[in-house]
Amino acid sequence: MPLTSILTPLARAYLAVIRIGAGLSMALITVIMVVQVFARYVLGDSLIWAEELCRYLLIWQTFLVLGVAYSRGDFVSLDFVPDMLNARGEWVLRAVMAVPILLFLWVMAMHGADYASRFDRQTIPAVDFIWESLFDRPLGMSIKYVYYAVTVGLLLMAVHVVADVVIRFRPQFLGQGEITPFRLFQNDEGPEA
């Protein structure tokens, strides 16, 4: 059984989870901000937890979609050197460039995890306020879970960098058909333009 037939459903499931999570978080941010504006300017009151909760949702959303943005080629890049190379040369350049990128992502992810672990006893005020309003006691959720977004997002991006190099290797060096890079991470309609 070819590796791509195993990885394709996993990659599509992963992409669906990321897209659904990003969509739900954006919808939640939008609803909270609309309610906040209504409460402030129509009712003359405000939700003291709205801005903080939206900020934390946006942080997680940003770091979760970093890898997908990398795979789609949405980051700013200079392509004049890769455009001068043939397909194999471009793959070698990508493989060589992947090493410092992966080292950087690893160092930043580890520092992010270390930083997050320092806030074990600090709670998220917005979540405590909401929970206490509903259940008469604070939840006590640590703010470290907000900071762990950095580590999780950067490690997921590292997976995308490795996938880029691996997926491009097969057609360039083994000559086993043309596989569009990141086809696993794109829509079912095929590669995007």
PDB file of all heavy atoms in Angstrom, residues 73-103:
ATOM      1  N   GLY A  73       1.743  28.255   0.668  1.00  0.00           N
ATOM      2  CA  GLY A  73       2.629  29.257   0.084  1.00  0.00           C
ATOM      3  C   GLY A  73       2.169  30.670   0.361  1.00  0.00           C
ATOM      4  O   GLY A  73       2.458  31.584  -0.408  1.00  0.00           O
ATOM      5  N   ASP A  74       1.453  30.880   1.467  1.00  0.00           N
ATOM      6  CA  ASP A  74       0.914  32.195   1.790  1.00  0.00           C
ATOM      7  C   ASP A  74       1.908  33.111   2.498  1.00  0.00           C
ATOM      8  O   ASP A  74       1.599  34.277   2.724  1.00  0.00           O
ATOM      9  CB  ASP A  74      -0.348  32.054   2.655  1.00  0.00           C
ATOM     10  CG  ASP A  74      -1.509  31.472   1.887  1.00  0.00           C
ATOM     11  OD1 ASP A  74      -1.471  31.505   0.641  1.00  0.00           O
ATOM     12  OD2 ASP A  74      -2.457  30.981   2.530  1.00  0.00           O
ATOM     13  N   PHE A  75       3.079  32.606   2.865  1.00  0.00           N
ATOM     14  CA  PHE A  75       4.081  33.462   3.478  1.00  0.00           C
ATOM     15  C   PHE A  75       4.816  34.233   2.392  1.00  0.00           C
ATOM     16  O   PHE A  75       4.951  33.772   1.256  1.00  0.00           O
ATOM     17  CB  PHE A  75       5.105  32.643   4.268  1.00  0.00           C
ATOM     18  CG  PHE A  75       4.578  32.076   5.558  1.00  0.00           C
ATOM     19  CD1 PHE A  75       5.311  31.135   6.235  1.00  0.00           C
ATOM     20  CD2 PHE A  75       3.373  32.467   6.094  1.00  0.00           C
ATOM     21  CE1 PHE A  75       4.850  30.600   7.423  1.00  0.00           C
ATOM     22  CE2 PHE A  75       2.903  31.941   7.277  1.00  0.00           C
ATOM     23  CZ  PHE A  75       3.647  31.004   7.947  1.00  0.00           C
ATOM     24  N   VAL A  76       5.306  35.388   2.740  1.00  0.00           N
ATOM     25  CA  VAL A  76       6.095  36.178   1.804  1.00  0.00           C
ATOM     26  C   VAL A  76       7.413  35.446   1.554  1.00  0.00           C
ATOM     27  O   VAL A  76       8.060  34.972   2.491  1.00  0.00           O
ATOM     28  CB  VAL A  76       6.376  37.581   2.372  1.00  0.00           C
ATOM     29  CG1 VAL A  76       7.297  38.369   1.468  1.00  0.00           C
ATOM     30  CG2 VAL A  76       5.075  38.326   2.594  1.00  0.00           C
ATOM     31  N   SER A  77       7.784  35.321   0.288  1.00  0.00           N
ATOM     32  CA  SER A  77       9.033  34.630  -0.029  1.00  0.00           C
ATOM     33  C   SER A  77       9.686  35.264  -1.243  1.00  0.00           C
ATOM     34  O   SER A  77       9.027  35.910  -2.055  1.00  0.00           O
ATOM     35  CB  SER A  77       8.772  33.144  -0.304  1.00  0.00           C
ATOM     36  OG  SER A  77       7.964  33.001  -1.444  1.00  0.00           O
ATOM     37  N   LEU A  78      10.981  35.072  -1.328  1.00  0.00           N
ATOM     38  CA  LEU A  78      11.747  35.516  -2.488  1.00  0.00           C
ATOM     39  C   LEU A  78      12.008  34.296  -3.347  1.00  0.00           C
ATOM     40  O   LEU A  78      12.677  33.365  -2.915  1.00  0.00           O
ATOM     41  CB  LEU A  78      13.060  36.157  -2.053  1.00  0.00           C
ATOM     42  CG  LEU A  78      12.926  37.389  -1.161  1.00  0.00           C
ATOM     43  CD1 LEU A  78      14.285  37.836  -0.671  1.00  0.00           C
ATOM     44  CD2 LEU A  78      12.228  38.512  -1.906  1.00  0.00           C
ATOM     45  N   ASP A  79      11.474  34.297  -4.566  1.00  0.00           N
ATOM     46  CA  ASP A  79      11.537  33.108  -5.417  1.00  0.00           C
ATOM     47  C   ASP A  79      12.521  33.219  -6.567  1.00  0.00           C
ATOM     48  O   ASP A  79      12.574  32.331  -7.410  1.00  0.00           O
ATOM     49  CB  ASP A  79      10.149  32.814  -5.997  1.00  0.00           C
ATOM     50  CG  ASP A  79       9.165  32.368  -4.940  1.00  0.00           C
ATOM     51  OD1 ASP A  79       9.619  31.875  -3.900  1.00  0.00           O
ATOM     52  OD2 ASP A  79       7.959  32.505  -5.174  1.00  0.00           O
ATOM     53  N   PHE A  80      13.344  34.268  -6.607  1.00  0.00           N
ATOM     54  CA  PHE A  80      14.199  34.407  -7.783  1.00  0.00           C
ATOM     55  C   PHE A  80      15.279  33.337  -7.837  1.00  0.00           C
ATOM     56  O   PHE A  80      15.636  32.882  -8.914  1.00  0.00           O
ATOM     57  CB  PHE A  80      14.795  35.818  -7.894  1.00  0.00           C
ATOM     58  CG  PHE A  80      15.675  36.232  -6.750  1.00  0.00           C
ATOM     59  CD1 PHE A  80      17.023  35.966  -6.762  1.00  0.00           C
ATOM     60  CD2 PHE A  80      15.134  36.911  -5.666  1.00  0.00           C
ATOM     61  CE1 PHE A  80      17.834  36.351  -5.705  1.00  0.00           C
ATOM     62  CE2 PHE A  80      15.932  37.297  -4.609  1.00  0.00           C
ATOM     63  CZ  PHE A  80      17.288  37.022  -4.626  1.00  0.00           C
ATOM     64  N   VAL A  81      15.805  32.878  -6.697  1.00  0.00           N
ATOM     65  CA  VAL A  81      16.821  31.805  -6.727  1.00  0.00           C
ATOM     66  C   VAL A  81      16.170  30.467  -7.085  1.00  0.00           C
ATOM     67  O   VAL A  81      16.646  29.784  -7.994  1.00  0.00           O
ATOM     68  CB  VAL A  81      17.604  31.723  -5.405  1.00  0.00           C
ATOM     69  CG1 VAL A  81      18.518  30.507  -5.387  1.00  0.00           C
ATOM     70  CG2 VAL A  81      18.421  32.997  -5.195  1.00  0.00           C
ATOM     71  N   PRO A  82      15.080  30.056  -6.415  1.00  0.00           N
ATOM     72  CA  PRO A  82      14.457  28.780  -6.814  1.00  0.00           C
ATOM     73  C   PRO A  82      13.984  28.773  -8.267  1.00  0.00           C
ATOM     74  O   PRO A  82      14.028  27.735  -8.922  1.00  0.00           O
ATOM     75  CB  PRO A  82      13.268  28.650  -5.859  1.00  0.00           C
ATOM     76  CG  PRO A  82      13.613  29.472  -4.688  1.00  0.00           C
ATOM     77  CD  PRO A  82      14.454  30.596  -5.210  1.00  0.00           C
ATOM     78  N   ASP A  83      13.552  29.918  -8.781  1.00  0.00           N
ATOM     79  CA  ASP A  83      13.083  29.973 -10.169  1.00  0.00           C
ATOM     80  C   ASP A  83      14.214  29.775 -11.168  1.00  0.00           C
ATOM     81  O   ASP A  83      13.974  29.379 -12.312  1.00  0.00           O
ATOM     82  CB  ASP A  83      12.380  31.306 -10.443  1.00  0.00           C
ATOM     83  CG  ASP A  83      11.015  31.382  -9.772  1.00  0.00           C
ATOM     84  OD1 ASP A  83      10.502  30.319  -9.346  1.00  0.00           O
ATOM     85  OD2 ASP A  83      10.475  32.493  -9.665  1.00  0.00           O
ATOM     86  N   MET A  84      15.460  30.024 -10.760  1.00  0.00           N
ATOM     87  CA  MET A  84      16.605  29.838 -11.655  1.00  0.00           C
ATOM     88  C   MET A  84      17.079  28.388 -11.694  1.00  0.00           C
ATOM     89  O   MET A  84      17.861  28.021 -12.558  1.00  0.00           O
ATOM     90  CB  MET A  84      17.774  30.733 -11.220  1.00  0.00           C
ATOM     91  CG  MET A  84      17.491  32.210 -11.391  1.00  0.00           C
ATOM     92  SD  MET A  84      18.910  33.274 -11.065  1.00  0.00           S
ATOM     93  CE  MET A  84      19.425  32.809  -9.444  1.00  0.00           C
ATOM     94  N   LEU A  85      16.606  27.564 -10.759  1.00  0.00           N
ATOM     95  CA  LEU A  85      17.062  26.179 -10.646  1.00  0.00           C
ATOM     96  C   LEU A  85      16.099  25.229 -11.339  1.00  0.00           C
ATOM     97  O   LEU A  85      14.916  25.530 -11.501  1.00  0.00           O
ATOM     98  CB  LEU A  85      17.189  25.791  -9.166  1.00  0.00           C
ATOM     99  CG  LEU A  85      18.138  26.643  -8.319  1.00  0.00           C
ATOM    100  CD1 LEU A  85      17.982  26.281  -6.854  1.00  0.00           C
ATOM    101  CD2 LEU A  85      19.568  26.453  -8.777  1.00  0.00           C
ATOM    102  N   ASN A  86      16.626  24.054 -11.702  1.00  0.00           N
ATOM    103  CA  ASN A  86      15.729  23.019 -12.205  1.00  0.00           C
ATOM    104  C   ASN A  86      14.991  22.402 -11.016  1.00  0.00           C
ATOM    105  O   ASN A  86      15.235  22.765  -9.865  1.00  0.00           O
ATOM    106  CB  ASN A  86      16.495  21.970 -13.017  1.00  0.00           C
ATOM    107  CG  ASN A  86      17.515  21.204 -12.185  1.00  0.00           C
ATOM    108  OD1 ASN A  86      17.457  21.193 -10.960  1.00  0.00           O
ATOM    109  ND2 ASN A  86      18.450  20.575 -12.861  1.00  0.00           N
ATOM    110  N   ALA A  87      14.105  21.447 -11.280  1.00  0.00           N
ATOM    111  CA  ALA A  87      13.265  20.886 -10.214  1.00  0.00           C
ATOM    112  C   ALA A  87      14.095  20.217  -9.125  1.00  0.00           C
ATOM    113  O   ALA A  87      13.818  20.375  -7.941  1.00  0.00           O
ATOM    114  CB  ALA A  87      12.269  19.900 -10.808  1.00  0.00           C
ATOM    115  N   ARG A  88      15.127  19.480  -9.509  1.00  0.00           N
ATOM    116  CA  ARG A  88      15.971  18.815  -8.496  1.00  0.00           C
ATOM    117  C   ARG A  88      16.773  19.830  -7.691  1.00  0.00           C
ATOM    118  O   ARG A  88      16.920  19.701  -6.481  1.00  0.00           O
ATOM    119  CB  ARG A  88      16.902  17.808  -9.157  1.00  0.00           C
ATOM    120  CG  ARG A  88      16.176  16.584  -9.634  1.00  0.00           C
ATOM    121  CD  ARG A  88      17.122  15.542 -10.153  1.00  0.00           C
ATOM    122  NE  ARG A  88      16.359  14.399 -10.617  1.00  0.00           N
ATOM    123  CZ  ARG A  88      16.857  13.212 -10.790  1.00  0.00           C
ATOM    124  NH1 ARG A  88      18.134  12.997 -10.569  1.00  0.00           N
ATOM    125  NH2 ARG A  88      16.099  12.228 -11.206  1.00  0.00           N
ATOM    126  N   GLY A  89      17.278  20.839  -8.356  1.00  0.00           N
ATOM    127  CA  GLY A  89      18.020  21.881  -7.650  1.00  0.00           C
ATOM    128  C   GLY A  89      17.136  22.630  -6.666  1.00  0.00           C
ATOM    129  O   GLY A  89      17.565  22.973  -5.562  1.00  0.00           O
ATOM    130  N   GLU A  90      15.899  22.871  -7.075  1.00  0.00           N
ATOM    131  CA  GLU A  90      14.960  23.538  -6.181  1.00  0.00           C
ATOM    132  C   GLU A  90      14.677  22.671  -4.952  1.00  0.00           C
ATOM    133  O   GLU A  90      14.589  23.170  -3.837  1.00  0.00           O
ATOM    134  CB  GLU A  90      13.662  23.840  -6.912  1.00  0.00           C
ATOM    135  CG  GLU A  90      12.685  24.617  -6.080  1.00  0.00           C
ATOM    136  CD  GLU A  90      11.380  24.912  -6.786  1.00  0.00           C
ATOM    137  OE1 GLU A  90      11.304  24.735  -8.028  1.00  0.00           O
ATOM    138  OE2 GLU A  90      10.428  25.308  -6.095  1.00  0.00           O
ATOM    139  N   TRP A  91      14.544  21.343  -5.156  1.00  0.00           N
ATOM    140  CA  TRP A  91      14.309  20.459  -4.015  1.00  0.00           C
ATOM    141  C   TRP A  91      15.513  20.475  -3.067  1.00  0.00           C
ATOM    142  O   TRP A  91      15.345  20.541  -1.849  1.00  0.00           O
ATOM    143  CB  TRP A  91      14.047  19.020  -4.472  1.00  0.00           C
ATOM    144  CG  TRP A  91      13.759  18.144  -3.298  1.00  0.00           C
ATOM    145  CD1 TRP A  91      12.552  17.919  -2.729  1.00  0.00           C
ATOM    146  CD2 TRP A  91      14.706  17.420  -2.503  1.00  0.00           C
ATOM    147  NE1 TRP A  91      12.680  17.088  -1.639  1.00  0.00           N
ATOM    148  CE2 TRP A  91      13.997  16.775  -1.478  1.00  0.00           C
ATOM    149  CE3 TRP A  91      16.090  17.246  -2.556  1.00  0.00           C
ATOM    150  CZ2 TRP A  91      14.622  15.976  -0.519  1.00  0.00           C
ATOM    151  CZ3 TRP A  91      16.701  16.451  -1.600  1.00  0.00           C
ATOM    152  CH2 TRP A  91      15.973  15.829  -0.600  1.00  0.00           C
ATOM    153  N   VAL A  92      16.731  20.427  -3.617  1.00  0.00           N
ATOM    154  CA  VAL A  92      17.938  20.457  -2.780  1.00  0.00           C
ATOM    155  C   VAL A  92      17.978  21.762  -1.982  1.00  0.00           C
ATOM    156  O   VAL A  92      18.267  21.760  -0.782  1.00  0.00           O
ATOM    157  CB  VAL A  92      19.214  20.279  -3.641  1.00  0.00           C
ATOM    158  CG1 VAL A  92      20.464  20.559  -2.826  1.00  0.00           C
ATOM    159  CG2 VAL A  92      19.268  18.876  -4.235  1.00  0.00           C
ATOM    160  N   LEU A  93      17.672  22.883  -2.639  1.00  0.00           N
ATOM    161  CA  LEU A  93      17.644  24.168  -1.936  1.00  0.00           C
ATOM    162  C   LEU A  93      16.607  24.148  -0.812  1.00  0.00           C
ATOM    163  O   LEU A  93      16.889  24.587   0.302  1.00  0.00           O
ATOM    164  CB  LEU A  93      17.334  25.300  -2.920  1.00  0.00           C
ATOM    165  CG  LEU A  93      17.243  26.701  -2.311  1.00  0.00           C
ATOM    166  CD1 LEU A  93      18.595  27.130  -1.729  1.00  0.00           C
ATOM    167  CD2 LEU A  93      16.772  27.700  -3.363  1.00  0.00           C
ATOM    168  N   ARG A  94      15.423  23.609  -1.100  1.00  0.00           N
ATOM    169  CA  ARG A  94      14.391  23.525  -0.063  1.00  0.00           C
ATOM    170  C   ARG A  94      14.828  22.625   1.096  1.00  0.00           C
ATOM    171  O   ARG A  94      14.565  22.933   2.257  1.00  0.00           O
ATOM    172  CB  ARG A  94      13.074  23.008  -0.642  1.00  0.00           C
ATOM    173  CG  ARG A  94      12.329  24.032  -1.436  1.00  0.00           C
ATOM    174  CD  ARG A  94      10.973  23.479  -1.877  1.00  0.00           C
ATOM    175  NE  ARG A  94      10.256  24.444  -2.646  1.00  0.00           N
ATOM    176  CZ  ARG A  94       9.468  25.386  -2.127  1.00  0.00           C
ATOM    177  NH1 ARG A  94       9.324  25.472  -0.828  1.00  0.00           N
ATOM    178  NH2 ARG A  94       8.836  26.224  -2.906  1.00  0.00           N
ATOM    179  N   ALA A  95      15.476  21.517   0.778  1.00  0.00           N
ATOM    180  CA  ALA A  95      15.933  20.599   1.826  1.00  0.00           C
ATOM    181  C   ALA A  95      17.004  21.263   2.685  1.00  0.00           C
ATOM    182  O   ALA A  95      16.993  21.138   3.913  1.00  0.00           O
ATOM    183  CB  ALA A  95      16.463  19.311   1.202  1.00  0.00           C
ATOM    184  N   VAL A  96      17.932  21.970   2.054  1.00  0.00           N
ATOM    185  CA  VAL A  96      18.983  22.666   2.807  1.00  0.00           C
ATOM    186  C   VAL A  96      18.381  23.775   3.665  1.00  0.00           C
ATOM    187  O   VAL A  96      18.749  23.943   4.833  1.00  0.00           O
ATOM    188  CB  VAL A  96      20.065  23.220   1.844  1.00  0.00           C
ATOM    189  CG1 VAL A  96      21.006  24.172   2.557  1.00  0.00           C
ATOM    190  CG2 VAL A  96      20.840  22.079   1.205  1.00  0.00           C
ATOM    191  N   MET A  97      17.436  24.518   3.118  1.00  0.00           N
ATOM    192  CA  MET A  97      16.799  25.602   3.867  1.00  0.00           C
ATOM    193  C   MET A  97      15.896  25.075   4.986  1.00  0.00           C
ATOM    194  O   MET A  97      15.645  25.778   5.958  1.00  0.00           O
ATOM    195  CB  MET A  97      15.988  26.496   2.921  1.00  0.00           C
ATOM    196  CG  MET A  97      16.851  27.318   1.980  1.00  0.00           C
ATOM    197  SD  MET A  97      18.071  28.334   2.834  1.00  0.00           S
ATOM    198  CE  MET A  97      17.035  29.349   3.844  1.00  0.00           C
ATOM    199  N   ALA A  98      15.412  23.854   4.842  1.00  0.00           N
ATOM    200  CA  ALA A  98      14.553  23.281   5.874  1.00  0.00           C
ATOM    201  C   ALA A  98      15.305  23.068   7.183  1.00  0.00           C
ATOM    202  O   ALA A  98      14.714  23.163   8.260  1.00  0.00           O
ATOM    203  CB  ALA A  98      13.946  21.967   5.398  1.00  0.00           C
ATOM    204  N   VAL A  99      16.604  22.806   7.101  1.00  0.00           N
ATOM    205  CA  VAL A  99      17.384  22.523   8.319  1.00  0.00           C
ATOM    206  C   VAL A  99      17.392  23.721   9.268  1.00  0.00           C
ATOM    207  O   VAL A  99      17.011  23.585  10.438  1.00  0.00           O
ATOM    208  CB  VAL A  99      18.809  22.043   7.956  1.00  0.00           C
ATOM    209  CG1 VAL A  99      19.662  21.922   9.205  1.00  0.00           C
ATOM    210  CG2 VAL A  99      18.747  20.726   7.203  1.00  0.00           C
ATOM    211  N   PRO A 100      17.813  24.932   8.837  1.00  0.00           N
ATOM    212  CA  PRO A 100      17.771  26.047   9.795  1.00  0.00           C
ATOM    213  C   PRO A 100      16.347  26.434  10.205  1.00  0.00           C
ATOM    214  O   PRO A 100      16.124  26.868  11.336  1.00  0.00           O
ATOM    215  CB  PRO A 100      18.466  27.202   9.059  1.00  0.00           C
ATOM    216  CG  PRO A 100      18.488  26.830   7.635  1.00  0.00           C
ATOM    217  CD  PRO A 100      18.428  25.338   7.572  1.00  0.00           C
ATOM    218  N   ILE A 101      15.400  26.248   9.287  1.00  0.00           N
ATOM    219  CA  ILE A 101      14.008  26.554   9.645  1.00  0.00           C
ATOM    220  C   ILE A 101      13.544  25.629  10.764  1.00  0.00           C
ATOM    221  O   ILE A 101      12.962  26.068  11.756  1.00  0.00           O
ATOM    222  CB  ILE A 101      13.081  26.432   8.416  1.00  0.00           C
ATOM    223  CG1 ILE A 101      13.378  27.545   7.413  1.00  0.00           C
ATOM    224  CG2 ILE A 101      11.611  26.454   8.826  1.00  0.00           C
ATOM    225  CD1 ILE A 101      12.689  27.372   6.076  1.00  0.00           C
ATOM    226  N   LEU A 102      13.820  24.334  10.627  1.00  0.00           N
ATOM    227  CA  LEU A 102      13.420  23.371  11.658  1.00  0.00           C
ATOM    228  C   LEU A 102      14.144  23.620  12.971  1.00  0.00           C
ATOM    229  O   LEU A 102      13.542  23.505  14.047  1.00  0.00           O
ATOM    230  CB  LEU A 102      13.656  21.941  11.171  1.00  0.00           C
ATOM    231  CG  LEU A 102      12.724  21.475  10.058  1.00  0.00           C
ATOM    232  CD1 LEU A 102      13.187  20.133   9.493  1.00  0.00           C
ATOM    233  CD2 LEU A 102      11.289  21.384  10.558  1.00  0.00           C
ATOM    234  N   LEU A 103      15.419  23.968  12.905  1.00  0.00           N
ATOM    235  CA  LEU A 103      16.159  24.293  14.135  1.00  0.00           C
ATOM    236  C   LEU A 103      15.545  25.514  14.816  1.00  0.00           C
ATOM    237  O   LEU A 103      15.361  25.524  16.043  1.00  0.00           O
ATOM    238  CB  LEU A 103      17.633  24.536  13.826  1.00  0.00           C
ATOM    239  CG  LEU A 103      18.455  23.305  13.510  1.00  0.00           C
ATOM    240  CD1 LEU A 103      19.866  23.697  13.065  1.00  0.00           C
ATOM    241  CD2 LEU A 103      18.522  22.378  14.714  1.00  0.00           C
TER     242      LEU A 103
END
